[in-house]
Amino acid sequence: MPQNLTQKIIAAHLVEGQAHAGQEIGLRIDQTLTQDATGTLAALEFEALGLDKVRTEVSVSYVDHNLLQDDFKNPDDHRFLRSSAARHGLWFSPPGNGICHQLHLLNFGRPGATLLGSDSHTPHGGGLGMLAMGAGGLDVAAAMAGYPFFFSYPAVLGVRLTGQFSPWVGAKDVILELLRRLTVKGGLGCVLEYFGPGVANLTVSQRAAICNMGAELGATASLFPSDQRTKAFLEAQGRGDVFRPLAADEHAGYDRLEEIDLGTLVPLVACPSSPDKVRPASELSDVAVEQVIVGSCGGGGYEDLMTVALALSGQKLANGVSLYINPGSRQALAQTAQAGGLMDLLETGGSLFQAGCLGCIGMSQAPATGTASLRTFPRNFPGRSGTKGDAVYLCGPEVAAASAMTGHITDPRTLGHQPHLPPAPPVHPEALVPPLADGSTVEVLRGPNIAPFPQLGPLPSDLECLVVLKVGDNITTDHIMPAGSRILPLRSNVPAISRHVFEALDPDFSRKAQEAAPVAVAGGENYGQGSSREHAALAPRYLGVQVKLAKSFARIHRANLINFGIVPLVFDDPADYDRVQAGQRLRIPGLRQAVLNGDEDIQASLDGQPLKLRLTASPRDRQILAAGGLLNHIKGEL
Ligand code: MIC
Ligand code: SF4
């Protein structure tokens, strides 16, 4: 039976379960990555598992999100992560090296491997033909300890690419086109596998940028074949030895199919405040922009920076426009400098920032009130930029460059001839710290910002609780657990960060939840889309949230809820969502037994009226829920 590439990589790593769509499988994980904002908890969780050393082929701890050093908190966390990596056999990437996904692709990724990362854009690695998935920190800590990663066997959505880009059209336009067609929940439960003659016309960086934003479709992963371009990329990185050719078998089948002729794509833009509100740039010329940012894991590579540099060469920024350059990696910055692009960017009037996430997660670079910001970033969820009522538009480097010159969203095809991109110069300036052969005597350095990990109790026999908040469809983890320069430094202190849960939707949420605990939260479709941050599950649980009711859940958030003992229940009849109001009392007698019995139907009542809920969970998930979370479960097993 011919296999697609997703099936092949899964088959080569399958340690538990059957290869049937929707069934839980356990996969051996070859590589892991963590970043500082999720990595401090992951490191504490790894410690709690009691192992001396990681049991993966390679595990890397990156510092890229919390770069601001307003006070001791972030530098404390960096120091903790550096010493924890040395103690436990991880590579360490200090601040300034760049963003985890870009660095991992350049320095560690290999075709055919599995990668699990505590960041939702980990699928970036799919550009190299690796099955790369985002997960909560606890799942990554377990993978570092050699445990398989458990998830639903995905459906495979084949994306057949033909043709080649017209001038001024690029990788971002491919993924924006898919977001336009499929929406932010269109990839739920799927791996997006790209194939077809158009693949050979894409560089590895372009492939990775496409895979990166597959996260915005809710996809489990995105994957490209490994071919001659992959080989050339790895050789240029001095890593030709890890190359192996990989592709789907001829006549392999897909569960769903999309076709994209690269030659018919036009420059696209995602409008505020969701990555799927996509429109052609040519229709948005009435949108004035005052800020343009080129950067992020999916838009700050050498090709992105250089595309902007060449387009802007000899030009000036439009009056009143700020252009910020956030290199995705130190290497991209060095390559752009070597290729002469840095001078172009500076002479135009652009401002250079250090390599890292920066404004993408609201770590500075907030736009002014009532102004539009145009960014080559993956996400534009409301308020994520740090400015209330923000208007963030997403685009590729071509649209960014054209708009920076005019001061309004501009179709770059109006610029005429597109300059040819020179190949990336062979410079490798990273400062990556390799693991120690024996780290057993290294002291792990904890500053006052590192709070002990909270203890969570097991699931109660019966539940009677208050519905403390009701929210709508497509609620993101940025709504649940906001980020930004004020809150991100609290990532290693759960009691402190929990005070900000749902802050933008209900400023009083944390007090109300803690006073009334246990409590429930109700939501609509695709609840918890976006990031992998497990704080969006752990902090609510710390406040007393015991169940969440929704029409459907996003994959990573649902797994995080289970990992921290919050029961993710769906409405049996989605219309029942309309009956739920904040302030009602929810009763689920015999909840614990129903979870343990494997019951899918959960009988509940809402202010005394019957309510039918559903729990679709594997036997393993049910054990974890009953134990009060994955850490309790693993400790119980040990
Ligand atoms: C994001 O882009 O939302 C983040 C910030 O990188 C998150 C991780 C986090 O919240 O720390 C993600 O993508 O998972
Ligand atoms: Fe960093 Fe933004 Fe990428 Fe998240 S999406 S890893 S915040 S650059």
Side-chain angles (χ1 to χ4, degrees):
M1 179 88 164
Q3 284 185 309
N4 58 46
L5 185 50
T6 309
Q7 290 167 333
K8 288 187 193 185
I9 300 181
I10 290 181
H13 291 84
L14 194 66
V15 289
E16 276 190 61
Q18 301 283 329
H20 297 306
Q23 298 254 329
E24 184 179 75
I25 53 167
L27 225 58
R28 181 168 48 78
I29 295 299
D30 299 317
Q31 306 191 345
T32 66
L33 71 79
T34 51
Q35 42 89 340
D36 49 339
T38 55
T40 46
L41 272 195
L44 291 170
E45 288 155 350
F46 182 77
E47 273 181 8
L49 294 175
L51 251 72
D52 239 22
K53 225 179 154 163
V54 293
R55 293 187 174 162
T56 46
E57 155 194 318
V58 63
S59 287
V60 192
S61 168
Y62 296 93
V63 177
D64 52 7
H65 281 64
N66 296 344
L67 298 182
L68 299 183
Q69 301 191 186
D70 280 349
D71 64 12
F72 64 96
K73 295 192 201 71
N74 290 338
D76 269 14
D77 283 359
H78 302 168
R79 200 158 165 261
F80 165 70
L81 288 171
R82 178 190 278 271
S83 58
S84 168
R87 171 76 183 78
H88 297 295
L90 286 84
W91 284 81
F92 179 68
S93 174
N97 261 352
I99 308 172
C100 54
H101 310 302
Q102 296 249 335
L103 292 169
H104 207 86
L105 190 87
L106 293 164
N107 299 292
F108 298 102
R110 69 170 171 86
T114 49
L115 165 68
L116 195 69
S118 61
D119 191 283
S120 67
H121 291 104
T122 305
H124 193 85
L128 268 183
M130 67 195 306
L131 188 67
M133 293 170 287
L138 186 45
D139 280 324
V140 178
M144 279 158 44
Y147 286 87
F149 174 56
F150 293 90
F151 66 109
S152 289
Y153 190 84
V156 186
L157 196 170
V159 186
R160 184 166 186 274
L161 300 178
T162 57
Q164 51 185 322
F165 290 132
S166 313
W168 301 108
V169 177
K172 267 278 154 65
D173 302 310
V174 176
I175 191 66
L176 289 175
E177 169 62 13
L178 282 172
L179 277 155
R180 189 188 69 77
R181 291 187 197 175
L182 305 175
T183 80
V184 288
K185 49 181 201 276
L188 281 175
C190 294
V191 170
L192 267 71
E193 182 174 318
Y194 295 84
F195 68 104
V199 167
N201 298 327
L202 298 174
T203 64
V204 167
S205 307
Q206 288 175 320
R207 297 173 190 183
I210 293 169
C211 292
N212 177 295
M213 272 184 81
E216 267 43 73
L217 291 157
T220 304
S222 292
L223 190 58
F224 271 86
S226 166
D227 58 11
Q228 287 310 305
R229 291 199 95 141
T230 319
K231 186 165 186 257
F233 173 89
L234 288 167
E235 280 169 354
Q237 288 300 119
R239 303 199 296 119
D241 55 319
V242 303
F243 171 73
R244 55 189 264 236
L246 286 174
D249 292 332
E250 219 179 316
H251 308 303
Y254 294 94
D255 298 292
R256 287 161 60 192
L257 205 61
E258 290 289 329
E259 297 234 10
I260 295 184
D261 176 354
L262 301 174
T264 61
L265 290 175
V266 298
L268 295 171
V269 173
C271 297
S273 290
S274 178
D276 60 0
K277 292 197 171 166
V278 175
R279 289 177 60 191
S282 59
E283 290 175 12
L284 295 166
S285 55
D286 55 344
V287 178
V289 291
E290 292 196 10
Q291 184 190 55
V292 177
I293 314 185
V294 181
S296 86
C297 52
Y302 164 75
E303 292 172 22
D304 302 294
L305 303 189
M306 207 56 203
T307 297
V308 176
L310 289 171
L312 291 181
S313 179
Q315 308 290 325
K316 282 279 170 236
L317 297 180
N319 203 6
V321 171
S322 316
L323 172 68
Y324 297 159
I325 313 294
N326 301 348
S329 66
R330 190 192 295 278
Q331 182 171 351
L333 172 58
Q335 288 171 324
T336 308
Q338 184 107 337
L342 198 51
M343 274 318 281
D344 287 328
L345 291 169
L346 297 178
E347 279 173 354
T348 312
S351 307
L352 181 63
F353 288 75
Q354 68 171 315
C357 298
L358 310 174
C360 183
I361 191 54
M363 273 295 199
S364 74
Q365 304 181 326
T369 308
T371 65
S373 174
L374 182 65
R375 303 169 165 207
T376 65
F377 295 175
R379 322 203 132 123
N380 59 348
F381 300 143
R384 182 176 158 100
S385 69
T387 298
K388 223 178 155 138
D390 57 7
V392 174
Y393 293 78
L394 307 175
C395 65
E398 301 85 1
V399 175
S403 310
M405 280 189 262
T406 60
H408 57 88
I409 293 185
T410 301
D411 185 332
R413 292 173 301 178
T414 55
L415 298 180
H417 170 74
Q418 184 176 20
H420 179 72
L421 200 72
V427 282
H428 305 280
E430 274 83 300
L432 292 161
V433 184
L436 297 175
D438 177 9
S440 56
T441 57
V442 172
E443 187 198 349
V444 179
L445 305 168
R446 283 163 230 270
N449 196 39
I450 317 276
F453 198 83
Q455 298 292 321
L456 305 174
L459 186 66
S461 307
D462 307 291
L463 184 69
E464 175 172 353
C465 66
L466 178 78
V467 178
V468 73
L469 178 71
K470 179 183 177 183
V471 294
D473 286 344
N474 293 321
I475 285 296
T476 72
T477 54
D478 280 284
H479 290 103
I480 304 169
M481 185 74 263
S485 56
R486 203 169 43 95
I487 302 174
L488 271 174
L490 305 175
R491 283 286 180 94
S492 43
N493 186 335
V494 176
I497 204 169
S498 68
R499 289 197 275 274
H500 301 278
V501 171
F502 278 123
E503 180 173 84
L505 298 181
D506 178 356
D508 218 14
F509 178 87
S510 69
R511 187 192 56 80
K512 285 198 259 183
Q514 230 165 352
E515 278 177 14
V519 295
V521 171
E525 297 276 13
N526 197 23
Y527 179 88
Q529 68 158 328
S531 84
S532 69
R533 64 190 70 146
E534 57 191 348
H535 303 74
L538 175 54
R541 174 73 206 278
Y542 176 82
L543 295 174
V545 177
Q546 188 66 70
V547 294
K548 289 206 177 178
L549 320 178
K551 290 187 190 170
S552 65
F553 290 92
R555 174 186 67 91
I556 305 180
H557 186 59
R558 182 180 175 284
N560 284 336
L561 291 175
I562 292 174
N563 280 351
F564 294 105
I566 296 181
V567 189
L569 296 165
V570 296
F571 297 105
D572 188 57
D573 176 0
D576 281 341
Y577 167 83
D578 300 329
R579 286 172 47 200
V580 183
Q581 298 303 333
Q584 289 172 324
R585 299 228 47 102
L586 176 76
R587 285 190 183 76
I588 314 181
L591 173 63
R592 182 184 171 84
Q593 207 49 51
V595 167
L596 282 170
N597 287 350
D599 296 353
E600 290 222 346
D601 292 336
I602 305 285
Q603 302 300 338
S605 69
L606 200 60
D607 273 357
Q609 297 302 311
L611 175 71
K612 220 167 133 190
L613 299 166
R614 245 182 328 108
L615 175 65
T616 29
S618 68
R620 177 177 173 274
D621 285 344
R622 290 170 182 272
Q623 294 292 333
I624 294 173
L625 282 170
L630 182 60
L631 265 186
N632 294 354
H633 174 69
I634 293 180
K635 281 192 204 151
E637 271 191 342
L638 291 175

